[in-house]
């Protein structure tokens, strides 16, 4: 398929700037992928499509405050520093993206905080905007990370179109987030409140968790027209024995499996073995890129948010729901006033 096939126009007011007052108070579009039928529901109706012992799989990654601002030595130029991942604890090495990149060269020093008390030196160029920073800090590692993260902001996407607010540290985090390492929230999971989890428990819905640390792919569209040639950054993921056993049991008993979000689906499809939808333990990295056509082998339903044009998340949703069905559903979403982005509404794709 071609990148341009996932292009559509969306006006800024269609992108949710804030989440609803309660996490589960959003619209839910239901797309039946076998027929193309679309239903317009509320998120609390999600459980109407599932039965006792069906399995919901979540991504329990935790977003850290990855967006910081620094000042360049001598010139005082303000630089955005987007933390990607820690490379070495002992030497305080971090893989980052800087903006504007043209001003940042090897050997430059960057000063963080109002008093410039945290200093980093650029020691390598990794990509056009990528740099490796070595932070100059004398305290122990845990103290260093706490100090660094206090300077940071929750990395809400810039296309939301407003300034960061302190409340975003909680808003842009699922209530079951545990494993720190993501720079983007698993947005479909943001809809689940404590009350919704209680309803699931009463209904006998089972849950399990993967860990998928979402990287910059969350914010970037594909960069080549021929999607078969597109390359994505590797992201770290883990599926433990508990999850493996529960997923394989559900497959064995023909229970419904709902993947909560595209990151969860990518994790499952990375770990699948054979043709019967069983998965194995996995602890490593993946650059799996899913676009139509694709044969999914584990989950039989998918919950996603409404994603922006030409994004990998939209492509995966279209691969699962069918390209024509999904794009027509998006047309209806735009006409019906559904909100897009991580703080927006949800789509459930079922058979």
């Amino acid at each position: 398929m071609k990148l341009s096939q996932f292009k559509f126009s969306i006006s800024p007011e269609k992108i949710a700037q804030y989440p609803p007052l309660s996490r589960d108070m959003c619209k839910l579009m239901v797309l039946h992928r076998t027929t193309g039928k679309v239903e317009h529901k509320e998120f609390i109706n999600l459980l109407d499509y599932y039965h006792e012992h069906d399995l919901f799989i979540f991504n329990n990654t935790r977003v850290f405050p990855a967006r910081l601002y620094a000042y360049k030595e001598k010139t005082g130029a303000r630089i955005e520093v987007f933390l990607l991942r820690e490379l070495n604890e002992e030497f305080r090495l971090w893989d980052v993206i800087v903006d504007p990149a043209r001003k940042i060269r090897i050997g430059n020093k960057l000063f963080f905080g109002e008093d410039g008390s945290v200093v980093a030196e650029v020691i390598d160029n990794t990509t056009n905007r990528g740099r490796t920073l070595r932070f100059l800090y004398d305290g122990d590692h845990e103290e260093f990370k706490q100090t660094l993260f206090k300077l940071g902001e929750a990395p809400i996407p810039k296309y939301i179109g407003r300034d960061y607010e302190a409340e975003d540290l909680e808003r842009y985090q699922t209530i079951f987030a545990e494993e720190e390492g993501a720079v983007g929230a698993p947005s479909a999971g943001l809809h689940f409140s404590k009350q919704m989890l209680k309803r699931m428990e009463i209904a006998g819905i089972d849950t399990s968790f993967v860990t998928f640390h979402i990287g910059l792919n969350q914010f970037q569209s594909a960069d080549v027209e021929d999607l078969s040639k597109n390359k994505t950054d590797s992201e770290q993921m883990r599926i433990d024995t508990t999850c493996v056993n529960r997923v394989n049991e559900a497959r064995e008993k023909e229970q419904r499996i709902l993947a909560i979000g595209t990151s969860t689906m990518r994790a499952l499809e990375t770990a699948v073995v054979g043709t019967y939808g069983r998965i194995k333990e996995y602890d490593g990295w993946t650059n799996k890129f899913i676009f139509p056509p694709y044969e999914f082998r584990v989950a039989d339903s998918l919950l996603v948010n409404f994603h922006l044009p030409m994004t990998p998340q939209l492509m995966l949703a279209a691969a699962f729901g069918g390209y024509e069905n999904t794009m027509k559903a998006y047309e209806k979403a735009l006409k019906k006033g559904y909100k897009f982005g991580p703080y927006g509404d949800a789509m459930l794709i079922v058979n």
Side-chain angles (χ1 to χ4, degrees), residues 128-147:
N128 184 36
R129 295 193 301 136
R131 303 289 187 271
T132 300
L133 296 188
R134 178 169 62 90
F135 284 89
L136 310 177
Y137 194 89
D138 292 332
D140 63 34
H141 180 257
E142 189 58 34
E143 179 187 319
F144 161 68
K145 284 191 72 173
Q146 289 180 6
T147 300

Side-chain angles (χ1 to χ4, degrees), residues 36-180:
K37 176 185 175 182
V38 167
E39 299 179 90
H40 302 286
K41 302 285 186 176
E42 300 296 325
F43 190 74
I44 57 173
N45 300 127
L46 174 69
L47 300 188
D48 296 344
Y49 297 86
Y50 296 92
H51 303 97
E52 187 177 12
H53 298 309
D54 286 341
L55 177 63
F56 287 13
I57 307 176
F58 297 90
N59 180 3
N60 68 356
T61 189
R62 186 170 187 81
V63 180
F64 63 89
R67 182 176 286 121
L68 294 83
Y69 294 93
Y71 293 92
K72 185 181 175 184
E73 63 175 338
K74 297 181 181 178
T75 67
R78 189 171 187 257
I79 306 296
E80 178 183 300
V81 177
F82 196 100
L83 303 175
L84 296 179
R85 63 180 65 93
E86 189 172 31
L87 301 175
N88 184 289
E89 290 187 10
E90 180 182 359
F91 295 103
R92 313 284 195 258
L93 301 182
W94 276 81
D95 184 19
V96 307
I97 297 292
V98 294
D99 186 31
R102 67 182 183 278
K103 296 183 177 182
I104 304 302
R105 299 179 175 86
I106 294 174
N108 288 157
K109 283 188 172 64
L110 299 175
F111 296 85
F112 297 81
E114 293 183 3
D115 58 357
S117 58
V118 176
V119 184
E121 182 181 7
V122 181
I123 65 170
D124 194 16
N125 295 335
T126 53
T127 64
N128 184 36
R129 295 193 301 136
R131 303 289 187 271
T132 300
L133 296 188
R134 178 169 62 90
F135 284 89
L136 310 177
Y137 194 89
D138 292 332
D140 63 34
H141 180 257
E142 189 58 34
E143 179 187 319
F144 161 68
K145 284 191 72 173
Q146 289 180 6
T147 300
L148 187 65
F149 286 178
K150 284 180 181 178
L151 297 172
E153 300 176 355
I156 61 172
K158 289 188 174 180
Y159 61 70
I160 286 180
R162 64 166 172 81
D163 292 336
Y164 165 82
E165 298 174 4
E167 291 82 358
D168 288 310
L169 278 172
E170 179 182 358
R171 294 168 180 156
Y172 198 57
Q173 196 85 264
T174 65
I175 63 171
F176 39 79
E178 290 185 359
E179 303 293 332
E180 183 181 273

